[in-house]
């Protein structure tokens, strides 16, 4: 990896990558853009985070997310309830956007990461790895769970005068999932993966 | 200087490669990741303008139409993005009001202004402070997602309140337009090529 020539993503300055210490990062001297971050045991770590994340994802989508008690009636919702309600309320575009950014994008992020990395750990390359890995990069930006969490906070303060709100297991799993997904991203050494799955240059 | 070097960076996997001479209409594919390689994103300026203008147009109805309507005991009350912020303020929840105001009003406006500024600065061939402009671009790219807060608030309220029987909440047209603004500005930021900022700035060194 050392000595490889890379062009800065943001300003096109050619940089020769020197020796980057484990956990260290190389930045562009001209615009301070990130050139490369070296993570120790990147592939193992990323697999661990993504697997844990997938388990939390299942919990946060299957179990009750938020419940509301109003005059003795308890209503339970899951993460997808709002999406369903928006679809029924004839707002399919908004429903689709919420579905994609809070459920589909995180799920795709975790599964695509595992799809590429698990075979790689055994020295094999999964079919269409290059395409999947390119798509993975684009999808990450659309996973917005941490923003959704702020949305929960805002809506609860609006409802708190009307009803008692009971957080469910899924909400706790969802909150744990946010840093796990972030760790899945930051522990992945894309440079290393490309050098393994890429064609000859 | 810039035009002389045929060295190009793959936008997907960051491989540095020499672009081969191509026939008209030909596209070079990155040997490592298979993505099409261009020295600059294709039609970056025109595409970013188109998405930006569309976002600006949608921004108006996004703020005029209600994002949600609460129907309770036969009375309907509609909230726009601004009236939602004012509601939080009136109920003494000013930290939350600040968060929502920043996410729903400041971030989308700042994004529209920042992208316009970047596009104009590139088109007039500005050479000043390229590193600062690159930083503005990175911030613009990173903060856009936070505007989704209001859409999520509507989603959660719709989910919880409609299941109880006291009130009905409907997502309004404002939510549709506002979601469109968020998506369009995210695509606009993605289609802008920050390397354009440096193409002119580099000529200084010659
Ligand atoms: Zn740079
Ligand atoms: Zn490539």
């Amino acid at each position: 990896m050392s000595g490889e020539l890379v062009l800065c993503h943001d300003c096109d300055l050619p940089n020769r990558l020197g020796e980057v210490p484990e956990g260290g990062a190389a930045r562009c001297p001209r615009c301070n853009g990130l050139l490369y971050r070296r993570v120790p045991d990147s592939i193992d770590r990323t697999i661990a985070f993504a697997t844990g994340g997938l388990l939390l994802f299942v919990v946060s989508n299957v179990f009750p997310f938020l419940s509301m008690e109003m005059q003795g009636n308890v209503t339970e919702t899951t993460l997808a309830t709002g999406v369903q309600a928006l679809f029924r309320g004839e707002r399919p575009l908004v429903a689709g956007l919420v579905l994609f950014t809070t459920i589909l994008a995180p799920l795709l992020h975790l599964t695509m990461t595992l799809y590429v990395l698990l075979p790689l750990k055994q020295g094999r390359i999964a079919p269409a790895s290059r395409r999947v890995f390119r798509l993975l990069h684009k999808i990450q930006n659309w996973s917005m769970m941490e923003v959704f969490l702020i949305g929960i906070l805002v809506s609860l303060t609006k409802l708190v005068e009307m009803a008692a709100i009971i957080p469910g297991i899924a909400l706790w799993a969802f909150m744990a999932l946010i840093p796990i997904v972030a760790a899945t991203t930051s522990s992945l050494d894309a440079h290393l993966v490309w050098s393994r799955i890429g064609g000859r240059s | 200087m810039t035009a002389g070097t045929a060295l190009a960076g793959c936008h997907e996997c960051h491989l540095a490669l020499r672009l081969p001479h191509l026939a008209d209409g030909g596209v070079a594919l990155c040997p490592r990741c298979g993505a099409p390689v261009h020295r600059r994103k294709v039609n970056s300026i025109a595409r970013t303008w188109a998405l930006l203008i569309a976002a600006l147009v949608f921004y108006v109805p996004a703020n005029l139409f209600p994002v949600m309507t609460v129907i309770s005991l036969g009375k309907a009350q509609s909230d726009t993005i601004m009236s939602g912020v004012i509601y939080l303020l009136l109920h003494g929840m000013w930290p939350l009001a600040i968060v929502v105001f920043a996410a729903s009003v400041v971030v989308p406006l700042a994004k529209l202004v920042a992208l316009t500024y970047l596009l104009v600065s590139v088109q007039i061939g500005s050479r000043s402070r390229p590193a600062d402009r690159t930083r503005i671009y990175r911030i613009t790219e990173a903060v856009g997602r936070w505007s989704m807060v209001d859409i999520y608030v509507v989603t959660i309220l719709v989910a919880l309140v409609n299941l109880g029987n006291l009130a009905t909440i409907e997502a309004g047209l404002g939510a549709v337009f506002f979601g469109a603004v968020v998506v369009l500005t995210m695509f606009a930021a993605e289609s802008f090529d920050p390397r354009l900022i440096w193409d002119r700035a580099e000529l200084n060194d010659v």
Side-chain angles (χ1 to χ4, degrees):
Chain A
M1 201 127 317
S2 60
E4 188 190 328
L5 186 70
V6 292
L7 295 189
C8 172
H9 197 263
D10 286 347
C11 79
D12 234 10
L13 184 75
N15 285 274
R16 214 162 267 290
L17 278 183
E19 205 46 67
V20 180
E22 294 218 326
R27 292 193 168 271
C28 172
R30 183 161 75 172
C31 76
N32 201 34
L34 181 69
L35 295 171
Y36 175 58
R37 172 175 282 130
R38 186 152 165 238
V39 188
D41 306 320
S42 169
I43 291 182
D44 285 339
R45 264 189 209 210
T46 310
I47 288 175
F49 283 129
T51 312
L54 216 49
L55 289 174
L56 287 170
F57 179 87
V58 173
V59 173
S60 64
N61 276 279
V62 169
F63 290 95
F65 196 74
L66 283 172
S67 305
M68 185 169 81
E69 196 191 328
M70 202 196 271
Q71 302 182 335
N73 291 327
V74 177
T75 50
E76 250 176 24
T77 66
T78 63
L79 188 51
T81 305
V83 173
Q84 291 161 2
L86 286 172
F87 261 117
R88 277 197 307 272
E90 275 151 40
R91 292 282 176 248
L93 293 176
V94 183
L97 183 61
V98 175
L99 178 68
F100 187 67
T101 53
T102 60
I103 299 178
L104 289 184
L107 176 64
L108 285 169
H109 177 186
L110 296 169
T111 47
M112 285 159 80
T113 302
L114 288 174
Y115 177 84
V116 173
L117 293 192
L118 278 177
L120 206 60
K121 190 173 151 57
Q122 289 142 23
R124 291 183 298 114
I125 295 174
S129 271
R130 300 202 297 178
R131 195 174 293 260
V132 172
F133 201 63
R134 266 162 51 198
L135 200 59
L136 173 64
H137 190 71
K138 292 205 165 77
I139 272 181
Q140 282 170 10
N141 203 20
W142 292 90
S143 158
M144 305 183 184
M145 291 185 299
E146 76 283 14
V147 184
F148 191 72
L149 195 63
I150 301 293
I152 294 173
L153 213 66
V154 175
S155 25
L156 290 195
T157 51
K158 286 191 177 185
L159 285 173
V160 89
E161 291 171 13
M162 287 165 65
I165 309 290
I166 309 141
I169 301 170
L171 179 61
W172 303 118
F174 188 82
M175 284 164 74
L177 184 55
I178 293 169
I180 297 283
V181 168
T184 307
T185 305
S186 62
S187 63
L188 182 62
D189 183 343
H191 221 85
L192 176 71
V193 176
W194 276 124
S195 70
R196 300 252 194 107
I197 68 174
R200 313 142 285 109
S201 52
Chain B
M1 187 190 99
T2 339
T5 50
L7 205 60
C10 171
H11 210 78
E12 306 274 347
C13 78
H14 301 194
L15 183 73
L17 63 151
R18 288 209 179 271
L19 279 185
H21 287 286
L22 294 166
D24 280 352
V27 174
L29 295 182
C30 172
R32 183 158 74 175
C33 75
V37 183
H38 309 278
R39 285 204 65 247
R40 299 291 173 263
K41 292 178 188 171
V42 183
N43 283 334
S44 171
I45 291 181
R47 193 176 293 185
T48 311
W49 268 124
L51 291 163
L52 189 62
I53 289 168
L56 262 171
V57 170
F58 282 7
Y59 187 74
V60 178
N63 282 280
L64 291 181
F65 284 110
V67 281
M68 65 176 176
T69 303
V70 184
I71 302 153
S72 167
L73 304 169
K75 278 189 304 177
Q77 193 217 330
S78 293
D79 260 325
T80 59
I81 293 205
M82 253 342 253
S83 71
V85 174
I86 292 167
Y87 171 92
L88 289 171
L89 269 181
L90 290 180
H91 285 70
M93 296 178 255
W94 58 268
L96 225 46
I98 292 172
V99 171
V100 176
F101 182 74
S104 314
V105 181
V106 178
V107 166
L109 273 179
K111 266 188 95 164
L112 294 172
V113 172
L115 283 172
T116 307
Y117 163 70
L118 290 172
L119 282 169
V120 171
S121 84
V122 163
Q123 282 189 301
I124 63 171
S126 163
R127 293 179 189 182
S128 75
R129 309 163 77 94
D132 287 341
R133 278 186 285 148
T134 308
R135 191 169 307 129
I136 289 175
Y137 173 70
R138 284 196 204 114
I139 295 170
T140 307
E141 222 185 0
V143 297
R145 55 204 288 108
W146 289 96
S147 323
M148 284 292 285
V149 165
D150 247 9
I151 302 276
Y152 292 150
V153 170
V154 173
T155 308
I156 296 156
L157 290 180
V158 163
L160 279 170
V161 175
N162 284 357
L163 289 173
N165 296 323
L166 274 187
T168 317
I169 295 192
E170 282 167 5
L173 263 184
V176 181
F177 286 112
F178 195 77
V181 171
V182 178
V183 172
L184 285 168
T185 51
M186 281 183 72
F187 279 129
E190 200 182 288
S191 62
F192 181 78
D193 194 332
R195 293 172 294 187
L196 294 170
I197 295 171
W198 296 87
D199 284 345
R200 274 307 181 107
E202 254 178 4
L203 298 178
N204 267 343
D205 315 337
V206 182

